[in-house]
Amino acid sequence: YDPSVPLIVPEINADAARKSKRRLIANPNCTTAIALMALAPLHKLFGIKRCIISTYQAASGAGAPGMSELEEGIKAISNGGKAENKVFAHVLPFNVIPHIDKFLDDQYTKEERKVRMRLARACFQTPSTSHVAKSTPTRTRTYPG
C-alpha cells in the first residue's frame, strides 16, 4: 500500500487519476469496487459511520483445482466417503469456510486485506462452483429522512 498512489474507481473518482502527478493509479478488487458503487452516493449524502462487508465466494476463485476438489468432495461424501482438502484450508463440500487465501501478519487474510483498511470485513469460501455474494450492512452518520 502506497498512500501517494490514488485508489481509483472511475465511476466515483476519475478526477483523482487525472490529478495524479506520478501518472500511476491503483484500483480495488471487484468486491470493493462493486460495493463502492452503492456506498459512495450514500457517503456523499449522509456520511458512513460504519460498514461491514462480508463476501461469500465460490470455489471457482481457486481455479480449476478448487472446482475439482469441490466436485470430487461432493461425490465422495454423497457416496459415504470422505472429502479431502488440498486446495482449501478445510474441507469445502457442505461447509462455509471463513478463510480465503493466506493469513497475513495482522491476522487478516489476503482476500480481506484487498477490501482495504478502514472497512470491517469477512470473506467466506462457499461450496458452490460459481458466484460471489455480498452482505453490506451500513450505518450512516445522518438519517436519510
Side-chain angles (χ1 to χ4, degrees):
Y1 175 72
D2 182 344
S4 70
V5 176
L7 186 62
I8 304 296
V9 177
E11 298 83 356
I12 298 169
N13 66 340
D15 59 316
R18 289 185 208 85
K19 295 175 186 175
S20 175
K21 293 176 183 166
R22 293 182 60 190
R23 302 304 238 184
L24 179 67
I25 64 167
N27 66 313
N29 76 340
C30 59
T31 297
T32 306
I34 292 167
L36 289 174
M37 294 298 294
L39 293 171
L42 292 173
H43 180 64
K44 186 176 181 180
L45 291 171
F46 309 111
I48 290 179
K49 183 174 183 178
R50 181 177 178 188
C51 178
I52 300 169
I53 296 178
S54 299
T55 67
Y56 304 88
Q57 300 178 29
S60 59
M67 299 264 294
S68 293
E69 184 172 300
L70 174 62
E71 291 166 359
E72 290 167 15
I74 289 171
K75 287 177 191 172
I77 291 171
S78 297
N79 291 320
K82 284 187 155 189
E84 294 182 11
N85 63 301
K86 294 179 182 164
V87 175
F88 300 105
H90 304 279
V91 172
L92 185 57
F94 309 106
N95 288 313
V96 175
I97 303 170
H99 179 164
I100 299 177
D101 215 324
K102 295 174 176 41
F103 278 94
L104 303 171
D105 292 340
D106 62 3
Q107 301 305 306
Y108 285 105
T109 65
K110 284 176 72 176
E111 186 68 20
E112 291 169 325
R113 173 75 64 80
K114 292 176 191 175
V115 180
R116 300 308 309 155
M117 307 301 177
R118 292 193 176 139
L119 298 172
R121 66 269 188 202
C123 300
F124 300 89
Q125 195 80 60
T126 64
S128 63
T129 54
S130 59
H131 84 283
V132 172
K134 189 178 322 197
S135 166
T136 313
T138 303
R139 179 176 288 170
T140 57
R141 293 193 184 281
T142 61
Y143 184 71

